[in-house]
Amino acid sequence: MSEPAGAPIEVVRHARARRARLSVDPATGRVRLTLPTRAALRPALAWAESKRAWIDAQQARLPQARPFAPGETIPVGDATLQIVWDAAAGRSPLREGDALRCGGPLERVPARVERWLRGESLAVLSAETQRTAARAAVTVSQVAIGDPRGRWGSCTATGAIRYSWRLILAPSFVLRATVAHEVAHRLHMDHSPAFHAAVARLLEADPAPARAWLRAHGAALHWYGRASGS
């Protein structure tokens, strides 16, 4: 029996689900069928397969993959850098004006560019976090980065803050607002009116534009570093 055409459908059972729900993850392009715990699988899959036209339309609207390849451009804060490969250059990427120059084997360029971006992200986020924590008169025990799909930052009760490294690809006002949000959790471990007031006070601006930017463009940040067609 042949496999159905189109993207594979990932089945997830959720205790709180009341009915079958079909979705396409804007950050990864994965097709997910969420079902109640006891729902019959075969008819649910048949229903999902009948929605292939909708799935195809949703996937056609996904952001384009932006590989870290020579000639490609990447946003870094408020600047745009072009990746330049020079076999004679050093293996560690070096920022020169509007260029990010990288040497070594061509096939290793994507990995080296991502490593550079992660290092830049950690440095910028660490510095901004410490500045904001000083304004808030709070301590931050650790600043770390990862690559989560569902959130841009998190703060624990012990003062450890973790960010998505992809914030370095966003405009600086978005990065600063995210830092203010997480540092404000050192004052209020909730999303109360007092918390939101603290965010605005630490940012010294309205955080709403940054939230709106992430809603509109955040998913596209997850497509940087992906090869075309992946």
Side-chain angles (χ1 to χ4, degrees):
M1 183 176 179
S2 62
E3 291 291 324
I9 296 174
E10 175 185 351
V11 177
V12 177
R13 293 191 181 272
H14 199 291
R16 294 184 179 179
R18 294 291 176 262
R19 59 183 177 81
R21 180 175 178 271
L22 193 61
S23 62
V24 176
D25 188 333
T28 64
R30 292 176 182 169
V31 183
R32 181 176 293 114
L33 174 62
T34 304
L35 297 176
T37 304
R38 298 180 180 277
L41 180 59
R42 184 170 295 184
L45 279 174
W47 170 77
E49 288 294 342
S50 74
K51 302 296 182 181
R52 278 293 172 185
W54 179 85
I55 293 172
D56 292 344
Q58 294 299 307
Q59 291 193 317
R61 296 168 57 187
L62 291 172
Q64 291 187 342
R66 300 290 300 272
F68 294 146
E72 294 286 340
T73 58
I74 49 177
V76 178
D78 298 326
T80 299
L81 304 183
Q82 183 175 45
I83 300 171
V84 176
W85 177 64
D86 180 354
R91 296 193 176 195
S92 296
L94 180 65
R95 183 173 180 172
E96 297 179 347
D98 294 332
L100 185 63
R101 194 171 301 278
C102 186
L106 180 60
E107 65 273 12
R108 296 297 299 162
V109 168
R112 290 196 173 103
V113 169
E114 180 172 326
R115 190 179 305 117
W116 182 86
L117 286 168
R118 284 175 176 264
E120 189 77 1
S121 181
L122 181 58
V124 171
L125 285 163
S126 295
E128 183 64 24
T129 299
Q130 294 304 325
R131 283 194 294 267
T132 307
R135 288 200 299 272
V138 297
T139 58
V140 172
S141 61
Q142 181 187 28
V143 176
I145 56 171
D147 195 13
R149 293 293 186 265
R151 59 175 59 187
W152 298 104
S154 61
C155 178
T156 69
T158 61
I161 296 180
R162 188 174 182 86
Y163 299 102
S164 166
W165 71 264
R166 294 177 185 275
L167 285 167
I168 198 66
L169 304 172
S172 58
F173 78 93
V174 174
L175 183 146
R176 289 195 302 270
T178 305
V179 170
H181 182 107
E182 298 308 328
V183 172
H185 277 310
R186 296 293 292 132
L187 298 168
H188 307 280
M189 285 298 288
D190 53 31
H191 289 97
S192 63
F195 164 80
H196 290 295
V199 175
R201 184 173 68 254
L202 293 174
L203 185 61
E204 298 179 321
D206 183 359
R211 293 196 299 267
W213 192 96
L214 283 173
R215 284 195 299 271
H217 307 289
L221 301 186
H222 291 284
W223 291 77
Y224 279 92
R226 295 182 60 169
S228 299
S230 66

